[in-house]
Amino acid sequence: MIDIACIIATATIAVASLLTLYRLTRGPGVLDRILALDTLVINTIGLIVVIGLWFRTTMYFETALLFAMVGFVTTVALCKYLLRGNIIE
């Protein structure tokens, strides 16, 4: 039963990632592209968690946590660069 749920979740996340990639390439502005990049990171984290559930291992959860931290720091750094022009003061 969990295998079917993981397949459906993987397909749904893949469709969401494709739509996010479209927004990333065709976004009207830089802020839309940054938001699309952040959404793509969230989709990737969800995919990593689903794969961890599917394979029944905890290694993927640690990977998802590290990816979440890197994605958050990247989004904050890009937004700060757009607002102020520099990242480190």
Side-chain angles (χ1 to χ4, degrees):
M1 189 69 170
I2 191 87
D3 293 333
I4 296 170
C6 287
I7 290 170
I8 293 171
T10 302
T12 305
I13 293 171
V15 169
S17 295
L18 287 174
L19 292 172
T20 304
L21 280 173
Y22 176 76
R23 174 53 66 190
L24 185 65
T25 56
R26 301 288 182 185
V30 177
L31 293 177
D32 292 324
R33 290 184 174 139
I34 290 176
L35 184 63
L37 188 63
D38 189 43
T39 306
L40 191 62
V41 167
I42 292 170
N43 288 340
T44 306
I45 292 166
L47 187 62
I48 291 171
V49 169
V50 169
I51 290 172
L53 287 172
W54 200 352
F55 292 145
R56 294 173 179 87
T57 181
T58 59
M59 181 184 67
Y60 290 101
F61 300 117
E62 295 171 2
T63 305
L65 183 63
L66 289 172
F67 203 76
M69 289 189 296
V70 170
F72 174 74
V73 170
T74 303
T75 302
V76 169
L78 284 172
C79 289
K80 190 172 179 181
Y81 177 73
L82 284 177
L83 287 174
R84 297 185 184 162
N86 62 354
I87 297 173
I88 300 173
E89 296 174 349

